[in-house]
């Protein structure tokens, strides 16, 4: 028995609808998997700022002075025997210390640790001295401090 023409066209439309829906679902799933795959291929790299930086020219730092580089959290000192660089990060819980020229000390505002200008612990809960950092002279004649390279305490540099 032949179906009426209108019912036949509805069945085709329904079939077409399911076909389009199915193809759309497959396309979306494939696109989603493609996005995840491309994200998987992207390198997971952390771009951190360089650890070595300039603190200026040697002649800009007077003998006997302590220069605090707040951005990089270091002290650069010029003594009669040469330059030294110390980390300003407290060895207790990582607070940023402050140079107190009136006391001739470096003090931590968090829990009261105190350090000499050589980084040795004088008071407080800090378990270790401040870190001494590597210094070098760039081709432009600028002092370079590298916070990633620790040097033995007492290391001074003559430039
Ligand atoms: S963080 Fe400096 S004394 Fe605690």
């Amino acid at each position: 028995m032949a179906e009426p023409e209108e019912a036949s066209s509805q069945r085709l439309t329904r079939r077409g609808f399911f076909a389009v829906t199915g193809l759309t679902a497959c396309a979306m799933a494939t696109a989603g998997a493609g996005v995840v795959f491309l994200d998987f291929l992207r390198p997971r790299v952390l771009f951190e700022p360089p650890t070595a930086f300039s603190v200026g020219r040697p002649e800009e730092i007077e003998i006997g002075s302590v220069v605090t580089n707040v951005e990089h959290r270091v002290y650069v000192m010029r003594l009669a025997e040469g330059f030294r660089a110390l980390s300003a990060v407290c060895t207790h819980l990582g607070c940023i210390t402050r140079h107190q020229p009136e006391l001739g000390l470096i003090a931590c505002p968090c829990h009261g640790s105190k350090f000499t200008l050589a980084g040795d612990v004088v008071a407080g809960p800090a378990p270790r001295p401040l870190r001494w950092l590597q210094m070098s002279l760039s081709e432009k004649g600028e002092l370079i401090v590298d916070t990633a390279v620790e040097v033995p305490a007492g290391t001074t540099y003559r430039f």
Side-chain angles (χ1 to χ4, degrees):
M1 179 175 169
E3 295 178 6
E5 190 173 314
E6 190 175 320
S8 172
S9 71
Q10 275 184 350
R11 189 181 311 150
L12 285 176
T13 301
R14 190 177 307 134
R15 198 174 283 161
F17 170 78
F18 285 124
V20 168
T21 302
L23 287 173
T24 303
C26 286
M28 289 174 65
T30 303
V35 168
V36 170
F37 180 70
L38 289 177
D39 188 52
F40 172 74
L41 291 179
R42 198 167 46 113
R44 301 281 184 239
V45 178
L46 290 176
F47 295 100
E48 295 181 356
T51 58
F53 51 89
S54 169
V55 290
R57 303 181 69 80
E59 59 270 19
E60 294 170 350
I61 302 175
E62 293 179 24
I63 293 176
S65 65
V66 177
V67 175
T68 304
N69 186 309
V70 176
E71 181 185 354
H72 296 283
R73 303 166 178 180
V74 297
Y75 299 112
V76 176
M77 303 173 197
R78 185 172 187 185
L79 311 169
E81 61 267 26
F83 290 90
R84 72 169 65 145
L86 268 69
S87 169
V89 179
C90 182
T91 55
H92 180 222
L93 293 178
C95 287
I96 306 306
T97 58
R98 295 190 185 126
H99 175 226
Q100 297 190 324
E102 67 279 3
L103 300 176
L105 291 171
I106 295 168
C108 181
C110 293
H111 309 103
S113 288
K114 290 185 173 44
F115 305 88
T116 66
L117 294 183
D120 296 322
V121 179
V122 174
R128 294 179 307 282
L130 296 176
R131 296 169 57 231
W132 286 58
L133 304 172
Q134 185 182 61
M135 298 185 77
S136 59
L137 200 62
S138 74
E139 291 177 2
K140 293 184 204 169
E142 295 178 339
L143 290 169
I144 304 295
V145 176
D146 192 340
T147 56
V149 183
E150 190 171 348
V151 295
T155 305
T156 54
Y157 297 89
R158 289 191 163 276
F159 299 113

